[in-house]
């Protein structure tokens, strides 16, 4: 944790407004017309290019970059919010592009909005209160996250997609552009449409990250059993458990499916493409 004050190596443009009490780390650069509030913490090497606003109890870890007209830590869009000292945390090396907005948490949630390290929040994306993004998450332009959304690591959300509050997105999923997602998406799943439905697995993502062919084939079999086979869904889950339950990746998906959910599970659409041609990213 930084001590109070501004490190002498920080570069602050004369037109920037840095409130007394803000903590600015070594080699930070704060460009013209930026505003940094009294409770903000910028760790070493953070860069605010221009016209950025960092407000409230906002903590930016090392190397975060915030581009023009983006804002981090403003109050949540929650009518129950009464100015409580809730927080937002942005992980190291995350990049927040122009006009993006990241709101701090709410008392009705868990009080903190969390962006993991090495994320990319593109232009005009919105991260609502109490959201949690793990590492290497990418939100493309104009993505909208309602409050309390959870997105696991290495997930890609396409431009203009809207995610309903309380939705969970599993690890390494891909959300097609302009999709309206109102239910949970399994790890490695690919969804598209308004309202979004599963179109298959994120096969390209699996291959890019080195998943071996036998593992991918197991996941394709899991997908067919869970989402393209007849019968009661709970019985299909039990069948997958019996056949592949010791596989850690399969166990991850089954744990996700069985976890408590406020939104239910995103299911496959009526018109399905073959697995090899499923939406990938």
């Amino acid at each position: 944790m930084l001590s109070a004050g501004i490190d002498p190596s920080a570069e602050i443009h004369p037109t920037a407004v840095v409130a007394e009490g803000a903590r600015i780390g070594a080699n930070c650069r704060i460009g013209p017309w930026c505003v940094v509030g009294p409770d903000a913490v910028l760790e070493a090497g953070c860069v605010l290019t221009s016209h950025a606003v960092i407000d409230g109890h906002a903590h930016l870890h090392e190397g975060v970059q915030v581009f023009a007209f983006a804002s981090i830590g403003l109050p949540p869009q929650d009518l129950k919010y009464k100015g409580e000292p809730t927080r937002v945390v942005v992980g190291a090396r995350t990049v927040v592009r122009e006009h993006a907005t990241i709101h701090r948490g709410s008392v009705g949630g868990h009080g903190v909005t969390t962006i993991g390290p090495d994320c990319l929040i593109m232009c005009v994306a919105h991260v609502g209160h109490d959201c949690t993004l793990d590492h290497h998450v990418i939100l493309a332009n104009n993505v909208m996250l309602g409050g309390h959304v959870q997105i696991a690591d290495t997930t890609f959300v396409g431009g203009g997609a809207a995610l309903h509050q309380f939705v969970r997105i599993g690890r390494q999923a891909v959300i097609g552009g302009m999709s309206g997602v109102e239910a949970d998406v399994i790890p490695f799943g690919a969804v598209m449409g308004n309202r979004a439905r599963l179109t298959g697995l994120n096969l390209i993502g699996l291959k890019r990250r080195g998943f071996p062919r036998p593992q991918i084939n197991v996941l394709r079999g899991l997908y067919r059993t869970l989402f393209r086979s007849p019968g009661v869904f709970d019985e299909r889950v039990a069948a997958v458990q019996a056949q592949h339950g010791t596989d850690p990746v399969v166990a991850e998906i089954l744990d996700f499916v069985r976890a408590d959910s406020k939104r239910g599970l995103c299911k496959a659409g009526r018109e399905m493409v073959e697995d090899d041609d499923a939406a990938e990213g």
Side-chain angles (χ1 to χ4, degrees):
M1 182 67 70
L2 297 172
S3 59
I6 300 173
D7 189 278
S9 65
E11 300 178 15
I12 301 176
H13 193 274
T15 61
V17 177
V18 179
E20 184 177 354
R23 287 173 284 178
I24 311 297
N27 301 309
C28 287
R29 289 190 286 120
I30 299 177
W33 309 109
C34 292
V35 177
V36 180
D39 299 308
V41 177
L42 277 63
E43 293 195 8
C46 288
V47 176
L48 312 182
T49 62
S50 71
H51 298 83
V53 176
I54 312 299
D55 191 31
H57 292 269
H59 190 138
L60 278 56
H61 284 265
E62 292 185 3
V64 171
Q65 298 181 58
V66 184
F67 282 73
F69 299 100
S71 64
I72 298 175
L74 271 68
Q77 296 177 131
D78 181 350
L79 295 176
K80 299 184 295 299
Y81 182 74
K82 304 301 180 185
E84 298 89 351
T86 54
R87 301 182 295 128
V88 59
V89 177
V90 181
R93 300 170 301 280
T94 282
V95 175
V96 181
R97 293 303 303 259
E98 297 87 342
H99 294 275
T101 54
I102 301 172
H103 288 174
R104 59 184 182 254
S106 70
V107 173
H110 47 271
V112 59
T113 300
T114 305
I115 310 293
D118 299 300
C119 293
L120 172 57
I121 313 299
M122 294 190 193
C123 298
V124 203
H126 172 67
V127 179
H129 60 84
D130 303 288
C131 288
T132 300
L133 279 60
D134 290 344
H135 62 82
H136 289 97
V137 171
I138 298 176
L139 305 183
N141 296 339
N142 299 287
V143 165
M144 298 169 284
L145 305 184
H148 312 275
V149 169
Q150 300 176 40
I151 302 181
D153 62 80
T154 60
T155 288
F156 175 80
V157 184
L163 278 60
H164 195 286
Q165 61 184 3
F166 292 104
V167 156
R168 298 179 302 138
I169 308 296
R171 177 165 72 101
Q172 205 171 303
V174 58
I175 312 299
M178 303 298 291
S179 294
V181 183
E182 58 183 1
D184 298 345
V185 178
I186 61 168
F188 317 105
V191 303
M192 184 174 293
N194 186 11
R195 295 300 196 240
R197 293 292 181 265
L198 279 167
T199 59
L201 295 174
N202 182 10
L203 294 176
I204 288 178
L206 289 166
K207 294 171 184 175
R208 285 175 177 169
R209 293 178 177 89
F211 280 70
R213 172 63 64 177
Q215 178 74 80
I216 292 174
N217 287 338
V218 168
L219 293 177
R220 292 174 70 183
L222 174 150
Y223 181 84
R224 285 192 294 268
T225 300
L226 288 184
F227 298 106
R228 301 183 67 181
S229 298
V232 178
F233 186 75
D234 286 347
E235 294 175 353
R236 286 178 273 159
V237 170
V240 171
Q241 175 70 48
Q243 187 172 6
H244 297 292
T246 58
D247 184 303
V249 179
V250 172
E252 176 184 346
I253 296 175
L254 294 181
D255 288 345
F256 184 93
V257 168
R258 290 166 169 158
D260 291 338
S261 171
K262 294 180 179 292
R263 299 299 307 166
L265 199 63
C266 189
K267 302 294 180 62
R270 293 182 179 180
E271 296 182 3
M272 293 298 302
V273 294
E274 291 300 317
D275 287 350
D276 284 337
D277 299 322
E280 303 170 345

